[in-house]
Amino acid sequence: DTGVSQNPRHKITKRGQNVTFRCDPISEHNRLYWYRQTLGQGPEFLTYFQNEAQLEKSRLLSDRFSAERPKGSFSTLEIQRTEQGDSAMYLCASSLIGVREKLFFGSGTQLSVL
Amino acid sequence: DQQVKQNSPSLSVQEGRISILNCDYTNSMFDYFLWYKKYPAEGPTFLISISSIKDKNEDGRFTVFLNKSAKHLSLHIVPSQPGDSAVYFCAARSAGGGADGLTFGKGTHLIIQP
């Protein structure tokens, strides 16, 4: 399968703990995006990378959130000192430069903070 | 402030009839619009798009109409099939720079009844 892969699919953690999610984009895609989706809402943009450079961050991305894409391939999203309000579906998407609007999404990581 | 609005949380249509999903936007800088479809436990998948220089785009059973003066777009599905039952998200891209991500509406849950 050559789609966008996200791990883990589900994560349950206690408030105050750190969590890390991984995203493997479609191999030839040079843009990678992170979105967050809460119940009853559409996906909300968090940040994106072009190759290894992080080019944009949403104001939703607080200081507790950090994303990396060290070699321009897979990406990680870390949330430090999790809060109950961080509970959401975290979606990763990738695209090609020139067709960036056509994002290909992974199945997401569902985070529950207790 | 919701820049992309889908005012119908759900829509029920009989199989074989036309499904019409509506979307309104407020940002005049949006220049590209997309519809995504989402099944439970999966990420959104790209369905169809339209540039602001066009007023109609058709792909098989799916047609998107854009009315720029009204800041309104709609997705028509004809004929509706059981597999079309899903949540449909309207999304838009801004030509004004800033975040390169898409802005999504809250989604409309389409239910196709046999």
Side-chain angles (χ1 to χ4, degrees):
Chain A
D1 182 66
T2 57
V4 178
S5 176
Q6 290 189 247
N7 288 289
R9 290 295 303 271
H10 303 275
K11 179 71 178 177
I12 300 173
T13 190
K14 292 182 179 179
R15 188 176 54 186
Q17 298 293 306
N18 299 343
V19 294
T20 300
F21 312 139
R22 176 178 171 126
C23 171
D24 288 89
I26 295 171
S27 58
E28 62 267 29
H29 285 184
N30 35 30
R31 290 195 174 197
L32 186 148
Y33 302 77
W34 285 99
Y35 281 78
R36 180 177 72 185
Q37 184 178 15
T38 52
L39 198 61
Q41 302 292 321
E44 296 173 295
F45 170 76
L46 293 178
T47 188
Y48 91 100
F49 294 82
Q50 183 165 304
N51 299 313
E52 66 274 10
Q54 188 174 16
L55 296 186
E56 192 74 29
K57 295 181 188 180
S58 163
R59 64 181 188 281
L60 295 175
L61 209 67
S62 77
D63 292 345
R64 297 184 297 105
F65 288 68
S66 62
E68 295 183 345
R69 195 183 183 197
K71 296 183 180 179
S73 56
F74 74 92
S75 174
T76 58
L77 178 67
E78 181 183 15
I79 308 175
Q80 296 182 327
R81 305 180 303 281
T82 53
E83 301 173 356
Q84 287 186 326
D86 297 332
S87 295
M89 172 73 79
Y90 289 85
L91 293 163
C92 176
S94 67
S95 71
L96 283 169
I97 292 177
V99 285
R100 63 185 191 272
E101 301 87 4
K102 295 181 184 177
L103 304 184
F104 293 80
F105 283 86
S107 295
T109 294
Q110 181 66 53
L111 172 66
S112 297
V113 181
L114 305 179
Chain B
D1 181 33
Q2 278 271 307
Q3 297 187 64
V4 177
K5 300 177 183 178
Q6 294 178 257
N7 293 320
S8 297
S10 66
L11 176 67
S12 183
V13 175
Q14 198 169 8
E15 182 180 356
R17 305 295 290 268
I18 182 171
S19 295
I20 300 176
L21 294 91
N22 294 303
C23 177
D24 297 291
Y25 62 95
T26 58
N27 189 341
S28 300
M29 297 301 291
F30 287 149
D31 68 343
Y32 199 85
F33 304 88
L34 306 88
W35 285 92
Y36 278 81
K37 178 179 178 180
K38 185 181 184 301
Y39 292 119
E42 295 183 10
T45 55
F46 171 77
L47 191 59
I48 192 170
S49 62
I50 187 167
S51 167
S52 60
I53 61 173
K54 296 185 177 181
D55 55 18
K56 177 182 175 181
N57 187 27
E58 190 172 356
D59 183 2
R61 297 186 299 114
F62 302 93
T63 303
V64 56
F65 295 92
L66 175 62
N67 183 334
K68 283 183 64 179
S69 61
K71 292 190 176 65
H72 176 82
L73 64 156
S74 60
L75 173 68
H76 292 210
I77 306 173
V78 184
S80 300
Q81 299 175 353
D84 296 330
S85 294
V87 177
Y88 289 78
F89 291 101
C90 174
R93 185 199 75 178
S94 174
D100 208 39
L102 298 173
T103 301
F104 284 82
K106 293 185 178 183
T108 296
H109 185 193
L110 177 64
I111 302 163
I112 306 300
Q113 295 182 334

